Amino acid sequence: ELQRSYAGIRFDTNRPDRVAAVLADSPAQQAGVSAGDQLIAVDGLKTARERFERILRRAEPGVVLTLHLFRRDELITTSVTLAPAQTDTVWLTIDEDAKSDVRQRLQDWLG
């Protein structure tokens, strides 16, 4: 089984390209990523939260990702070395076969 990777970035739920938080002592913090940054690309390919999370699911710890971000009007490029997911990390996934009323309740709950 592939070990999950961890970057330490949390995204804004309303703006999937906006970093909402960078966790303390995380690979992203060590690379200089800040809350409020706008993720533009990973390894030169346009991306946002969904694609970034897919990359994390597939990449092994130790992989280095080049992130391209906007911080206000400045384009920033930084390298993040992925770490193993923390042992207290829980991964939740949405049932793709869930009925529409169940999905709507989830969206209402998430806000």
Side-chain angles (χ1 to χ4, degrees), residues 1-6 50-61 63 65 82 91:
E1 180 179 321
L2 181 68
Q3 183 178 9
R4 293 239 183 182
S5 294
Y6 163 77
E50 185 176 300
R51 183 171 182 279
F52 184 74
E53 290 172 350
R54 197 167 43 245
I55 290 168
L56 288 180
R57 283 193 300 271
R58 294 183 176 140
E60 292 188 27
V63 167
L65 301 177
L82 300 178
W91 301 98

Side-chain angles (χ1 to χ4, degrees), residues 32-105:
V33 178
S34 296
D37 288 351
Q38 180 184 13
L39 180 63
I40 302 299
V42 174
D43 292 336
L45 297 174
K46 182 179 176 181
T47 195
R49 178 183 66 211
E50 185 176 300
R51 183 171 182 279
F52 184 74
E53 290 172 350
R54 197 167 43 245
I55 290 168
L56 288 180
R57 283 193 300 271
R58 294 183 176 140
E60 292 188 27
V63 167
V64 178
L65 301 177
T66 301
L67 304 185
H68 307 276
L69 309 125
F70 272 116
R71 182 170 299 151
R72 295 181 255 346
D73 293 330
E74 181 182 358
L75 179 62
I76 296 170
T77 301
T78 189
S79 295
V80 174
T81 303
L82 300 178
Q86 298 172 327
T87 56
D88 63 348
T89 300
V90 177
W91 301 98
L92 301 176
T93 59
I94 297 173
D95 181 358
E96 297 298 328
D97 297 325
K99 295 181 180 177
S100 61
D101 64 316
V102 172
R103 293 176 77 80
Q104 184 59 50
R105 284 195 306 247

